[in-house]
Amino acid sequence: MQTIIPTERLDQGRKVADTCVHFGFCTSVCPTYVLDHEENDSPRGRIALIKDMLARGGKPTAATVMHVDRCLSCLSCVTTCAASVDYRTLVDTAREYIEQSGVRPFHERVKRKALSYVMTHPRLLGVAIRASRVTGGVGARLPGILGTLARLSGARAIGAFAVRGQDLAAPAGSRKTGKVALLDGCVQSVMGGEINAAARRLLGRMGIEVVDNGLAGRCCGALDLHLGHRDTAQRHAAKLVDAWHALLEKGEIEAVLVTTSGCGSVIRHYRELFQDDPLRRERAARVEAACVDITQFLNTRVQELQFARLSARVAYHDSCSLKHGQKITREPREVLEHAGFVVADIAENHLCCGSAGTYNILQPEIAERLGQRKAGNIEATRPDVIAAGNMGCLVQISMYTDIPVAHTVQLLDWAAGGPPPRGMETFTPPAHTPACTESPPPRDAASAAPETSDLLW
Ligand code: SF4
Ligand code: SF4
């Protein structure tokens, strides 16, 4: 068996695997180990399997493929590992090795390629979701990936986030205080228009212009990277790196803002994707430095916004890509509290909700158990609404609870004069929170848009 992975990267993978000292601090924080206590579904077990695969060469065993496939790439193990094992690099290399080994049956390879192609092409994804919805309950009863897709496309959160294209405009403001690029994402541009619209309204109120660089709906490469399609991920990433780098060089933007933490986590490690391309690697370093999660950005300039104290109780879910992938936990909570929300922490907040990119499509049984566990922990906090910084998490969680879900920027936008997130239209402050004493800021022009229910496509 021959792979086209350069020897240096295979050696790098072997070296990373060697740094594991097998104490197993990571096992208790690994979602798949927590569920079944299976050693091979722990970080330590997977590292041993990957180490063996890279050392032996040749085709991976069926067990190695299964246990690597079951990894969510949540990086909870990385947060906990005292030996600083670079599991992110290791599992990405392992996934690429498995894909290139040809060990998967033909239909599996086609399924995985088709999945990433559809999800990273907004028009196609729009058609797929619409088709899934038309089939309704029939589609959801189909076996395998088709049924899973149909069930997911009916998730309450997708309807709650969809918005018509014309509502994406930011409110017109006279003062200009800065310029940024905003990643609207491939999947989010189809399913999460309201999130992008809320972010633009917030920035517009602060006088920050979003520079449209003609990259609407472009994929950052995260989905393909996690499926082991590194070359496709590089192609997606190269387009964004080149465009953002040019804007940064010309001084036309000061930052690249991201509202989807799954994308942010990959963009902030773009250099690793371009190890064999020194020019792009240099450009990627500049982009990495300029890439900021929107809650970090807003938290530094929060004084520029006026908020009504809505006092809604928010269960804040730490998406793994924000908590473990980018180590951002303080800023989303601080900015929500500053805006007048009461933030409740969720038990087991280090555990993944089961979304994990395409994981809830490819591993639906484990994803369902994790989704139910997460929803149970959330409901125990008795929140009015659930917030997170990653749309995929909210879609997944909304499958297992009736509590409204909203992206953090939607709550901030609501408190700053925007429309309430779906499900919060009739909200009144509950008895357990301080009474609302301030009048809300006036509704701005973009917020006055009629209720939206049509999807973007
Ligand atoms: S990954 Fe880290 S925490 Fe887990 S067994 Fe290896 S050294 Fe220990
Ligand atoms: S990335 Fe997450 S699921 Fe994978 S081994 Fe680490 S903790 Fe477990």
Side-chain angles (χ1 to χ4, degrees), residues 29-32 41-43 46 70-77 87:
V29 298
C30 172
T32 50
D41 279 329
S42 77
R46 289 188 177 109
R70 284 185 188 167
C71 170
L72 295 128
S73 287
C74 69
L75 306 182
S76 177
C77 49
Y87 183 82

Side-chain angles (χ1 to χ4, degrees), residues 92-175:
D92 284 347
T93 304
R95 292 190 199 284
E96 189 185 0
Y97 187 98
I98 289 169
E99 288 311 299
Q100 291 188 8
S101 71
V103 76
R104 291 193 198 281
F106 178 71
H107 71 274
E108 269 289 314
R109 274 181 276 154
V110 170
K111 179 176 85 177
R112 294 167 75 90
K113 285 276 182 198
L115 184 61
S116 75
Y117 191 83
V118 170
M119 292 191 80
T120 56
H121 289 78
R123 285 196 181 280
L124 215 49
L125 179 60
V127 171
I129 293 178
R130 181 167 271 182
S132 300
R133 286 194 165 168
V134 168
T135 59
V138 179
R141 284 197 292 275
L142 289 173
I145 193 170
L146 291 174
T148 307
L149 265 175
R151 282 192 293 280
L152 272 174
S153 69
R156 185 168 45 84
I158 293 181
F161 295 148
V163 69
R164 291 194 298 254
Q166 64 266 32
D167 297 326
L168 289 170
S174 50
R175 73 197 167 106

Side-chain angles (χ1 to χ4, degrees), residues 354-368:
S355 169
T358 54
Y359 193 90
N360 52 1
I361 299 170
L362 294 171
Q363 300 284 340
E365 291 84 13
I366 300 174
E368 183 173 344

Side-chain angles (χ1 to χ4, degrees), residues 17 47 116 121 171 212 230 239-240 301-302 309 340 411 413:
I47 290 168
S116 75
H121 289 78
D212 178 13
R230 187 182 173 93
K239 291 199 174 79
L240 290 178
R301 300 180 59 160
V302 73
R309 294 199 68 79
L411 293 181
D413 176 51

